[in-house]
Short mmCIF file of all heavy atoms in Angstrom, two decimals:
data_model
loop_
_atom_site.label_atom_id
_atom_site.label_comp_id
_atom_site.label_asym_id
_atom_site.label_seq_id
_atom_site.Cartn_x
_atom_site.Cartn_y
_atom_site.Cartn_z
N ALA A 561 -13.24 8.53 8.86
CA ALA A 561 -13.88 7.88 7.71
C ALA A 561 -14.35 8.86 6.63
O ALA A 561 -14.12 8.63 5.43
CB ALA A 561 -15.04 7.00 8.17
N PRO A 562 -15.03 9.97 6.97
CA PRO A 562 -15.46 10.90 5.91
C PRO A 562 -14.30 11.44 5.09
O PRO A 562 -14.38 11.51 3.86
CB PRO A 562 -16.18 12.01 6.69
CG PRO A 562 -16.60 11.38 7.97
CD PRO A 562 -15.52 10.40 8.30
N ALA A 563 -13.22 11.83 5.76
CA ALA A 563 -12.06 12.38 5.05
C ALA A 563 -11.37 11.30 4.21
O ALA A 563 -10.92 11.56 3.10
CB ALA A 563 -11.08 12.99 6.04
N LEU A 564 -11.30 10.07 4.74
CA LEU A 564 -10.69 8.97 3.99
C LEU A 564 -11.49 8.68 2.73
O LEU A 564 -10.92 8.42 1.66
CB LEU A 564 -10.61 7.72 4.86
CG LEU A 564 -9.56 7.71 5.97
CD1 LEU A 564 -9.77 6.53 6.90
CD2 LEU A 564 -8.16 7.66 5.38
N ALA A 565 -12.80 8.72 2.84
CA ALA A 565 -13.66 8.47 1.68
C ALA A 565 -13.48 9.55 0.62
O ALA A 565 -13.62 9.29 -0.58
CB ALA A 565 -15.12 8.39 2.11
N GLN A 566 -13.16 10.77 1.04
CA GLN A 566 -13.01 11.89 0.11
C GLN A 566 -11.62 11.93 -0.53
O GLN A 566 -11.47 12.35 -1.67
CB GLN A 566 -13.26 13.21 0.86
CG GLN A 566 -13.19 14.45 -0.01
CD GLN A 566 -14.32 14.52 -1.02
OE1 GLN A 566 -15.44 14.09 -0.74
NE2 GLN A 566 -14.04 15.04 -2.20
N ALA A 567 -10.58 11.48 0.18
CA ALA A 567 -9.20 11.58 -0.31
C ALA A 567 -9.00 10.71 -1.54
O ALA A 567 -9.65 9.68 -1.72
CB ALA A 567 -8.22 11.17 0.79
N ASP A 568 -8.08 11.14 -2.41
CA ASP A 568 -7.77 10.37 -3.61
C ASP A 568 -7.02 9.09 -3.27
O ASP A 568 -7.23 8.05 -3.88
CB ASP A 568 -6.93 11.22 -4.56
CG ASP A 568 -7.66 12.49 -4.99
OD1 ASP A 568 -8.60 12.38 -5.80
OD2 ASP A 568 -7.31 13.57 -4.51
N VAL A 569 -6.13 9.18 -2.29
CA VAL A 569 -5.43 8.00 -1.77
C VAL A 569 -5.67 7.98 -0.27
O VAL A 569 -5.26 8.88 0.44
CB VAL A 569 -3.92 8.05 -2.06
CG1 VAL A 569 -3.22 6.84 -1.47
CG2 VAL A 569 -3.66 8.14 -3.56
N ALA A 570 -6.37 6.96 0.21
CA ALA A 570 -6.77 6.89 1.61
C ALA A 570 -6.23 5.61 2.22
O ALA A 570 -6.68 4.52 1.88
CB ALA A 570 -8.28 6.94 1.73
N VAL A 571 -5.23 5.75 3.09
CA VAL A 571 -4.61 4.59 3.73
C VAL A 571 -5.17 4.44 5.13
O VAL A 571 -4.89 5.25 6.02
CB VAL A 571 -3.08 4.74 3.79
CG1 VAL A 571 -2.45 3.49 4.38
CG2 VAL A 571 -2.52 5.00 2.39
N ALA A 572 -5.98 3.41 5.34
CA ALA A 572 -6.57 3.14 6.65
C ALA A 572 -5.68 2.17 7.40
O ALA A 572 -5.07 1.27 6.82
CB ALA A 572 -7.97 2.56 6.50
N MET A 573 -5.59 2.37 8.72
CA MET A 573 -4.79 1.47 9.56
C MET A 573 -5.58 0.20 9.86
O MET A 573 -6.77 0.26 10.14
CB MET A 573 -4.42 2.16 10.87
CG MET A 573 -3.65 3.47 10.73
SD MET A 573 -2.03 3.28 9.97
CE MET A 573 -2.37 3.84 8.29
N ASN A 574 -4.90 -0.94 9.81
CA ASN A 574 -5.57 -2.21 10.11
C ASN A 574 -6.05 -2.27 11.56
O ASN A 574 -7.00 -2.99 11.87
CB ASN A 574 -4.62 -3.38 9.82
CG ASN A 574 -5.33 -4.71 9.90
OD1 ASN A 574 -6.44 -4.86 9.41
ND2 ASN A 574 -4.69 -5.69 10.52
N THR A 575 -5.38 -1.51 12.45
CA THR A 575 -5.80 -1.48 13.85
C THR A 575 -7.01 -0.57 14.05
O THR A 575 -7.54 -0.50 15.15
CB THR A 575 -4.66 -0.97 14.74
OG1 THR A 575 -4.21 0.29 14.24
CG2 THR A 575 -3.50 -1.95 14.74
N GLY A 576 -7.41 0.13 13.01
CA GLY A 576 -8.51 1.09 13.12
C GLY A 576 -9.87 0.44 13.07
O GLY A 576 -10.01 -0.79 13.05
N THR A 577 -10.88 1.28 13.03
CA THR A 577 -12.26 0.79 13.04
C THR A 577 -12.66 0.26 11.67
O THR A 577 -12.04 0.56 10.65
CB THR A 577 -13.22 1.92 13.43
OG1 THR A 577 -13.13 2.97 12.45
CG2 THR A 577 -12.87 2.49 14.80
N GLN A 578 -13.73 -0.51 11.65
CA GLN A 578 -14.25 -1.06 10.41
C GLN A 578 -14.66 0.06 9.47
O GLN A 578 -14.47 -0.03 8.26
CB GLN A 578 -15.45 -1.97 10.72
CG GLN A 578 -15.86 -2.88 9.56
CD GLN A 578 -14.83 -3.97 9.29
OE1 GLN A 578 -14.05 -4.32 10.16
NE2 GLN A 578 -14.83 -4.49 8.08
N ALA A 579 -15.21 1.14 10.03
CA ALA A 579 -15.64 2.27 9.20
C ALA A 579 -14.45 2.88 8.47
O ALA A 579 -14.55 3.22 7.28
CB ALA A 579 -16.31 3.33 10.07
N ALA A 580 -13.32 3.02 9.15
CA ALA A 580 -12.13 3.59 8.52
C ALA A 580 -11.62 2.67 7.41
O ALA A 580 -11.26 3.13 6.31
CB ALA A 580 -11.04 3.82 9.56
N LYS A 581 -11.60 1.36 7.68
CA LYS A 581 -11.08 0.42 6.67
C LYS A 581 -11.98 0.36 5.44
O LYS A 581 -11.51 0.19 4.31
CB LYS A 581 -10.92 -0.97 7.29
CG LYS A 581 -9.76 -1.04 8.28
CD LYS A 581 -9.41 -2.46 8.66
CE LYS A 581 -10.34 -3.04 9.68
NZ LYS A 581 -9.87 -4.33 10.22
N GLU A 582 -13.28 0.48 5.65
CA GLU A 582 -14.20 0.46 4.51
C GLU A 582 -14.13 1.76 3.72
O GLU A 582 -14.38 1.77 2.51
CB GLU A 582 -15.62 0.20 5.00
CG GLU A 582 -15.84 -1.23 5.51
CD GLU A 582 -17.25 -1.46 6.04
OE1 GLU A 582 -18.03 -0.49 6.05
OE2 GLU A 582 -17.56 -2.59 6.44
N ALA A 583 -13.80 2.87 4.37
CA ALA A 583 -13.72 4.15 3.68
C ALA A 583 -12.43 4.29 2.88
O ALA A 583 -12.41 4.97 1.86
CB ALA A 583 -13.82 5.30 4.69
N GLY A 584 -11.35 3.66 3.34
CA GLY A 584 -10.06 3.79 2.65
C GLY A 584 -10.00 2.92 1.41
O GLY A 584 -10.72 1.94 1.26
N ASN A 585 -9.10 3.32 0.47
CA ASN A 585 -8.87 2.46 -0.69
C ASN A 585 -7.57 1.67 -0.56
O ASN A 585 -7.17 0.97 -1.47
CB ASN A 585 -8.89 3.25 -2.01
CG ASN A 585 -8.04 4.51 -1.95
OD1 ASN A 585 -7.06 4.57 -1.21
ND2 ASN A 585 -8.42 5.52 -2.71
N MET A 586 -6.91 1.82 0.58
CA MET A 586 -5.76 0.98 0.96
C MET A 586 -5.85 0.72 2.46
O MET A 586 -6.35 1.56 3.20
CB MET A 586 -4.43 1.66 0.64
CG MET A 586 -4.15 1.89 -0.83
SD MET A 586 -2.48 2.57 -1.05
CE MET A 586 -2.53 2.92 -2.82
N VAL A 587 -5.33 -0.43 2.87
CA VAL A 587 -5.27 -0.76 4.30
C VAL A 587 -3.84 -1.15 4.62
O VAL A 587 -3.27 -2.05 3.99
CB VAL A 587 -6.22 -1.91 4.67
CG1 VAL A 587 -6.07 -2.28 6.14
CG2 VAL A 587 -7.67 -1.53 4.38
N ASP A 588 -3.24 -0.45 5.58
CA ASP A 588 -1.89 -0.76 6.03
C ASP A 588 -1.97 -1.81 7.13
O ASP A 588 -2.44 -1.53 8.23
CB ASP A 588 -1.21 0.51 6.54
CG ASP A 588 0.19 0.23 7.08
OD1 ASP A 588 0.71 -0.85 6.80
OD2 ASP A 588 0.72 1.09 7.80
N LEU A 589 -1.53 -3.02 6.81
CA LEU A 589 -1.66 -4.13 7.75
C LEU A 589 -0.75 -3.96 8.96
O LEU A 589 -0.99 -4.55 10.01
CB LEU A 589 -1.36 -5.45 7.05
CG LEU A 589 -2.23 -5.75 5.82
CD1 LEU A 589 -1.85 -7.08 5.21
CD2 LEU A 589 -3.70 -5.72 6.16
N ASP A 590 0.32 -3.17 8.82
CA ASP A 590 1.22 -2.91 9.94
C ASP A 590 0.75 -1.75 10.80
O ASP A 590 1.32 -1.49 11.86
CB ASP A 590 2.63 -2.59 9.44
CG ASP A 590 3.29 -3.78 8.77
OD1 ASP A 590 2.92 -4.91 9.11
OD2 ASP A 590 4.15 -3.58 7.90
N SER A 591 -0.25 -1.01 10.31
CA SER A 591 -0.78 0.16 11.02
C SER A 591 0.33 1.16 11.35
O SER A 591 0.43 1.67 12.45
CB SER A 591 -1.51 -0.27 12.31
OG SER A 591 -2.60 -1.11 11.99
N SER A 592 1.18 1.42 10.36
CA SER A 592 2.27 2.39 10.52
C SER A 592 1.97 3.58 9.62
O SER A 592 2.10 3.48 8.39
CB SER A 592 3.61 1.76 10.12
OG SER A 592 4.61 2.74 10.05
N PRO A 593 1.57 4.73 10.19
CA PRO A 593 1.20 5.87 9.36
C PRO A 593 2.32 6.35 8.43
O PRO A 593 2.04 6.96 7.40
CB PRO A 593 0.84 6.95 10.38
CG PRO A 593 0.45 6.19 11.61
CD PRO A 593 1.34 5.00 11.62
N THR A 594 3.58 6.10 8.78
CA THR A 594 4.68 6.52 7.91
C THR A 594 4.65 5.75 6.59
O THR A 594 5.33 6.14 5.64
CB THR A 594 6.04 6.28 8.59
OG1 THR A 594 6.11 4.91 9.01
CG2 THR A 594 6.21 7.18 9.79
N LYS A 595 3.88 4.68 6.53
CA LYS A 595 3.79 3.88 5.30
C LYS A 595 3.27 4.70 4.14
O LYS A 595 3.50 4.35 2.97
CB LYS A 595 2.89 2.68 5.56
CG LYS A 595 3.03 1.52 4.57
CD LYS A 595 4.33 0.79 4.70
CE LYS A 595 4.39 0.00 5.98
NZ LYS A 595 3.46 -1.08 6.09
N LEU A 596 2.56 5.79 4.41
CA LEU A 596 2.00 6.62 3.35
C LEU A 596 3.09 7.13 2.42
O LEU A 596 2.91 7.19 1.20
CB LEU A 596 1.24 7.80 3.95
CG LEU A 596 0.46 8.70 2.98
CD1 LEU A 596 -0.51 7.88 2.16
CD2 LEU A 596 -0.27 9.78 3.74
N ILE A 597 4.26 7.48 2.99
CA ILE A 597 5.36 7.94 2.16
C ILE A 597 5.83 6.82 1.24
O ILE A 597 6.11 7.04 0.06
CB ILE A 597 6.51 8.45 3.05
CG1 ILE A 597 6.05 9.66 3.87
CG2 ILE A 597 7.74 8.80 2.23
CD1 ILE A 597 7.05 10.15 4.89
N GLU A 598 5.88 5.59 1.75
CA GLU A 598 6.29 4.45 0.94
C GLU A 598 5.25 4.15 -0.14
O GLU A 598 5.61 3.78 -1.27
CB GLU A 598 6.48 3.22 1.84
CG GLU A 598 7.12 2.05 1.14
CD GLU A 598 7.48 0.93 2.10
OE1 GLU A 598 7.40 1.14 3.33
OE2 GLU A 598 7.85 -0.15 1.62
N VAL A 599 3.98 4.32 0.18
CA VAL A 599 2.91 4.12 -0.80
C VAL A 599 3.09 5.08 -1.97
O VAL A 599 2.95 4.70 -3.14
CB VAL A 599 1.53 4.29 -0.15
CG1 VAL A 599 0.44 4.39 -1.20
CG2 VAL A 599 1.23 3.14 0.80
N VAL A 600 3.38 6.35 -1.66
CA VAL A 600 3.60 7.35 -2.72
C VAL A 600 4.77 6.94 -3.60
O VAL A 600 4.71 7.04 -4.83
CB VAL A 600 3.83 8.75 -2.10
CG1 VAL A 600 4.29 9.74 -3.16
CG2 VAL A 600 2.55 9.24 -1.45
N ARG A 601 5.84 6.47 -2.97
CA ARG A 601 7.01 6.06 -3.74
C ARG A 601 6.71 4.88 -4.65
O ARG A 601 7.15 4.83 -5.80
CB ARG A 601 8.16 5.73 -2.80
CG ARG A 601 8.78 6.96 -2.16
CD ARG A 601 9.87 6.61 -1.18
NE ARG A 601 10.55 7.81 -0.71
CZ ARG A 601 11.41 7.83 0.28
NH1 ARG A 601 11.69 6.72 0.93
NH2 ARG A 601 11.99 8.95 0.64
N ILE A 602 5.96 3.91 -4.14
CA ILE A 602 5.60 2.75 -4.96
C ILE A 602 4.70 3.18 -6.11
O ILE A 602 4.85 2.70 -7.24
CB ILE A 602 4.90 1.68 -4.09
CG1 ILE A 602 5.91 1.06 -3.11
CG2 ILE A 602 4.28 0.58 -4.96
CD1 ILE A 602 5.30 0.11 -2.10
N GLY A 603 3.76 4.11 -5.85
CA GLY A 603 2.90 4.61 -6.92
C GLY A 603 3.70 5.32 -8.00
O GLY A 603 3.47 5.11 -9.21
N LYS A 604 4.65 6.15 -7.57
CA LYS A 604 5.49 6.85 -8.55
C LYS A 604 6.37 5.86 -9.30
O LYS A 604 6.60 6.01 -10.51
CB LYS A 604 6.34 7.90 -7.85
CG LYS A 604 5.55 9.14 -7.41
CD LYS A 604 6.44 10.23 -6.89
CE LYS A 604 5.63 11.48 -6.55
NZ LYS A 604 5.04 12.10 -7.74
N GLN A 605 6.87 4.85 -8.59
CA GLN A 605 7.71 3.85 -9.26
C GLN A 605 6.91 3.08 -10.31
O GLN A 605 7.42 2.76 -11.38
CB GLN A 605 8.30 2.89 -8.24
CG GLN A 605 9.33 1.95 -8.84
CD GLN A 605 9.86 0.94 -7.86
OE1 GLN A 605 9.12 0.44 -7.02
NE2 GLN A 605 11.13 0.61 -7.96
#
């Protein structure tokens, strides 16, 4: 949670704790960490 709150783009897993989801500015509902690469691509697009 502390690192997620500090990061510019913070993707929290939906399977994670409430603290992690509240700290992140995105929540991956599939809880797939590889989604971060897709998030970057969508942002660039």
Side-chain angles (χ1 to χ4, degrees):
L564 287 169
Q566 183 67 35
D568 300 287
V569 178
V571 183
M573 302 296 102
N574 189 43
T575 54
T577 62
Q578 195 70 23
K581 289 193 281 189
E582 290 178 358
N585 48 29
M586 295 185 187
V587 177
D588 177 16
L589 303 180
D590 294 333
S591 299
S592 170
T594 53
K595 199 70 70 66
L596 186 56
I597 296 174
E598 190 172 351
V599 168
V600 170
R601 287 178 173 170
I602 291 174
K604 286 188 177 294
Q605 188 184 37

